[in-house]
Amino acid sequence: MPTTVRVNGTPATNIGFVTGSKTQVQADATVAAGTTATVYVAGATDEADLAMDLYNGSFTAPAADVTKPTVTSITQVAQDTVRVVFSEALDPNADFVTGDVKVLKGTTVYTNGAGAAITVTKYAADTTGKSYDVKIDLDTNVAGDQIYATGAASQALTFLFDKEVVADAAGNKNDEITSTVTLTRDATAPAFVSSKISSDKEKFEITFNEDIDATVNKNNIIVTDASGVRYTVDSAAQGTDPKVLVIDTIPATATSQVVADGVYTIKLGAGTVKDAQGNLSAEFTTNVTVGTAGDTTKPVPTISTTANNKFKVVFKNGTSATAAAEEVTASALSLSNYKLDGAALPAGTDIYFTDATKSEVEIVLPANSVNIGKAGVGTNAVLTVSGVADKAGNVSDAKSGDVTVEDNTAATLTSAQLLADTLVLTFSENIDAASKPADFAAVIDDFNISAGSTTLANGAGATGAATTSVDGNKLTITFTAGDSNWATVKAGALKVKTATPVLTDANAVVVKDEVEVTVTK
């Protein structure tokens, strides 16, 4: 350590090492802020007793801090909390504390302690020491933060800092500060996170992503075991951790309070719990395994086609080729657990177990539910199965497989128009040109064309004449020469009705019979 330190030629005092260092020296000397001073250091030796060279140098003392602390930002971090960030760290002895800020809502100024709670805590995660959280309750006599007007999604609040309530390390104190922030009401309902049995195996615990209100609608909770037995919910309440809902299914009078081993399904209906802002939870279902359930393997569905528009799903206890077929619950008969090409199965779909083992389900699509795939040939579609439970309560993962569907929806005659001797029939879908009527006789076989009581027909012993063409969903019939009563029929109030037609749609499905339309002219 040097024996001599002079600053601007004046000996310094209290020469010593910087705490924790044997290479940095500090000494007391007076230097005006913002000025440059000379420094002379001598008399130091190292551990080998070698003398250091004399040192002559200079340094500039930092300018004096005369800047007052200001608020650089106020942002909402919770339903009832804002974060205030100052321009610099504050003096711990003149820190920002509860009572240093007031809140203006509308025309009313709220002060902590005067019927309101406006509390300040330092935000420890900010290592710069500039951030503080302000939690607001504008009426301590009423539940909730009372920030927002009834029904309002947001509320503007003005934060008022009196002059000289805080100071920085240099003793500079703030000017009066006014800052307005619009807070947004929490409109997000508490969401399910996890479920488990309590450590003493007496209660079920459902954890949400935020604190829930102490008011719980226990009548919205359904608890069943793997056999489908429903248990009465004795109580349901907020736990010690305000994010946890504790459900008890065993009355206090029961001999044992321990939940029996097994897999339990817990369904919470919409609005079972709410958060402090009254946002109601959505419906959800969760499974909880208590103890060591004998069967922990999820059922695995195998999907195949037994006939076009008819599918088979076999459930097995595992994925191996030798896995045995496994009995599943009535969840396998719920149409909501199946999707065809990503959409719900059509209304009227039949679904049933094929035998008493309840390991195999057959699905039959109803008539008029498919509009793709050539009749008799079909085309690929994707059937997805999910959410099917076995007797132990294990729920299948989603699995998809190819199935074959074919058009079972007949094209329907929707309108007809007469243009001179040409009749244009429009159908609900495209028509197969190869199936169109080849001549006049085929036309009157496929269609009943009439005006009042007069029906288009061949003349006695003669043959009418007509040509036909198809363009998409339109069949055009042009009546030409020939011995028929066409001239008489077309002059009347013309109607066309399908009559056991041979005509088919583009997928070879015969058009719908007995459909009648009035012809426009």
Side-chain angles (χ1 to χ4, degrees):
M1 184 171 62
T3 58
T4 304
V5 176
R6 289 196 288 267
V7 177
N8 284 336
T10 301
T13 59
N14 296 324
I15 301 170
F17 285 121
V18 173
T19 302
S21 170
K22 292 186 177 181
T23 60
Q24 294 179 308
V25 176
Q26 62 186 12
D28 293 342
T30 301
V31 179
T35 63
T36 299
T38 62
V39 60
Y40 169 78
V41 181
T45 59
D46 62 16
E47 291 183 348
D49 204 30
L50 300 173
M52 68 167 280
D53 293 336
L54 300 179
Y55 174 79
N56 282 289
S58 63
F59 67 93
T60 301
D65 178 7
V66 294
T67 303
K68 298 177 180 180
T70 61
V71 171
T72 59
S73 67
I74 301 179
T75 55
Q76 183 178 10
V77 294
Q79 161 89 13
D80 58 357
T81 305
V82 297
R83 184 159 295 146
V84 178
V85 180
F86 288 91
S87 57
E88 58 183 311
L90 302 179
D91 180 357
N93 295 318
D95 213 355
F96 182 43
V97 295
T98 297
D100 285 349
V101 63
K102 293 172 284 187
V103 175
L104 171 65
K105 175 184 174 183
T107 58
T108 304
V109 175
Y110 295 87
T111 303
N112 181 65
I118 305 170
T119 55
V120 176
T121 56
K122 197 164 188 175
Y123 179 49
D126 180 2
T127 57
T128 68
K130 300 177 184 179
S131 302
Y132 297 79
D133 285 347
V134 180
K135 186 172 182 180
I136 308 150
D137 181 355
L138 300 184
D139 189 344
T140 54
N141 295 315
V142 179
D145 49 57
Q146 300 302 304
I147 293 172
Y148 305 88
T150 302
S154 61
Q155 178 66 51
L157 298 180
T158 300
F159 293 85
L160 309 173
F161 302 79
D162 288 339
K163 185 177 181 179
E164 298 185 349
V165 293
V166 298
D168 62 17
N172 302 302
K173 296 184 177 180
N174 67 290
D175 290 327
E176 184 179 289
I177 299 170
T178 300
S179 182
T180 300
V181 180
T182 298
L183 275 65
T184 302
R185 185 194 295 272
D186 174 13
T188 303
F192 168 76
V193 173
S194 63
S195 59
K196 66 177 183 176
I197 192 70
S198 61
S199 57
D200 58 9
K201 289 183 63 178
E202 293 185 359
K203 300 176 181 67
F204 298 103
E205 296 179 346
I206 312 295
T207 300
F208 293 86
N209 66 336
E210 63 173 314
D211 293 358
I212 61 172
D213 187 78
T215 303
V216 176
N217 184 357
K218 76 170 187 176
N219 296 324
N220 263 9
I221 303 172
I222 297 174
V223 180
T224 54
D225 64 16
S227 299
V229 176
R230 180 179 294 189
Y231 293 80
T232 300
V233 175
D234 189 63
S235 67
Q238 182 191 58
T240 304
D241 180 344
K243 290 184 173 68
V244 176
L245 171 65
V246 178
I247 301 171
D248 190 354
T249 58
I250 303 176
T253 55
T255 304
S256 172
Q257 295 297 307
V258 175
V259 177
D261 288 356
V263 178
Y264 296 82
T265 298
I266 303 174
K267 177 181 177 181
L268 273 68
T272 299
V273 300
K274 60 184 177 180
D275 61 18
Q277 286 68 52
N279 299 306
L280 298 173
S281 61
E283 178 180 308
F284 67 89
T285 300
T286 180
N287 292 322
V288 178
T289 299
V290 180
T292 303
D295 176 10
T296 60
T297 302
K298 299 177 180 180
V300 178
T302 301
I303 301 163
S304 61
T305 300
T306 54
N308 292 354
N309 298 342
K310 187 175 182 180
F311 322 127
K312 181 170 69 175
V313 182
V314 177
F315 295 92
K316 294 188 175 182
N317 186 22
T319 57
S320 70
T322 58
E326 180 174 28
E327 180 178 349
V328 290
T329 67
S331 59
L333 302 181
S334 174
L335 293 180
S336 63
N337 288 330
Y338 302 84
K339 300 288 184 185
L340 184 63
D341 283 344
L345 292 178
T349 296
D350 284 334
I351 185 167
Y352 51 85
F353 287 120
T354 59
D355 56 38
T357 66
K358 296 182 181 179
S359 62
E360 182 176 301
V361 164
E362 197 148 68
I363 299 170
V364 183
L365 301 182
N368 301 314
S369 65
V370 181
N371 209 16
I372 60 172
K374 191 174 183 66
V377 179
T379 188
N380 278 352
V382 176
L383 181 69
T384 302
V385 185
S386 63
V388 174
D390 62 19
K391 292 176 65 179
N394 304 300
V395 178
S396 66
D397 294 326
K399 185 176 180 182
S400 298
D402 289 339
V403 293
T404 305
V405 297
E406 68 173 42
D407 189 347
N408 66 1
T409 304
T412 302
L413 178 63
T414 58
S415 65
Q417 184 179 21
L418 180 65
L419 303 169
D421 287 318
T422 298
L423 187 61
V424 180
L425 306 182
T426 301
F427 293 83
S428 59
E429 53 183 286
N430 289 347
I431 298 301
D432 180 11
S435 70
K436 67 183 178 65
D439 52 26
F440 181 87
V443 168
I444 62 176
D445 280 345
D446 271 11
F447 302 100
N448 186 328
I449 302 172
S450 64
S453 61
T454 304
T455 301
L456 178 65
N458 287 335
T463 302
T467 60
T468 60
S469 64
V470 170
D471 183 9
N473 67 335
K474 297 183 184 299
L475 169 66
T476 300
I477 305 170
T478 301
F479 297 96
T480 58
D483 184 9
S484 76
N485 58 345
W486 169 242
T488 300
V489 172
K490 76 172 184 177
L494 201 59
K495 292 186 177 183
V496 177
K497 179 168 70 172
T498 54
T500 317
V502 175
L503 186 68
T504 68
D505 64 18
N507 287 324
V509 179
V510 176
V511 300
K512 189 172 183 180
D513 195 14
E514 296 295 315
V515 176
E516 184 176 76
V517 297
T518 299
V519 179
T520 60
K521 297 181 179 181

